[in-house]
Amino acid sequence: MLKIALLPIILATTLLSSCGFHAPVKNTTLNATITSDKSNAFAAELETRFNQEAAKNLSIQIGAEVKKQQTASYTTSNTANSYTLSLSVPVKVFNADNKLLLSQDLAASMHLSKVSSAQADRLQIEESYTQLRNTVIKKLIRRLSKLNEN
């Protein structure tokens, strides 16, 4: 009985090791020098995502955030019923030799239904822009991780 249960384990181990399967290796930690305007919320949030103890091997230039709010639908009384919010940020990434690695406008958008209270609607819009900013930061970090692998 023990030989029968042990046989599938040995077979699975042999097959997995022969196909090149291995545990994922954690990438090196990211850190970069960030330059932007003084009041750039995107740059401030991005800086908190980096490991400050790691060596700074990249330089990132962040432009001003571009926020757009477009009305997506109207009610029968011709008032806004929903919005499409979008956020884009121009980003340039340089390596230690000042060679341009990435120059792109990173963007994200979201659809948002209007809330009845004006103050609640404003708060909902601001929270949505914060979520969009986090989405764009995640996109940038994924791209920086790919650049850092090379």
Side-chain angles (χ1 to χ4, degrees), residues 57-73:
N57 53 357
L58 298 173
S59 177
I60 304 173
Q61 291 179 355
I62 310 257
E65 289 181 343
V66 178
K67 296 178 181 179
K68 290 184 182 176
Q69 176 181 335
Q70 297 176 322
T71 304
S73 65

Side-chain angles (χ1 to χ4, degrees), residues 18 28 42 54 56 60 79 81 87 93 95 102 104-105 120 125 131 141:
S18 66
T28 59
F42 182 86
K56 295 184 179 187
I60 304 173
T79 59
N81 191 34
L87 177 79
V93 179
N95 66 4
L102 175 72
Q104 191 172 16
D105 287 352
I125 289 171
Q131 289 176 2
I141 288 176

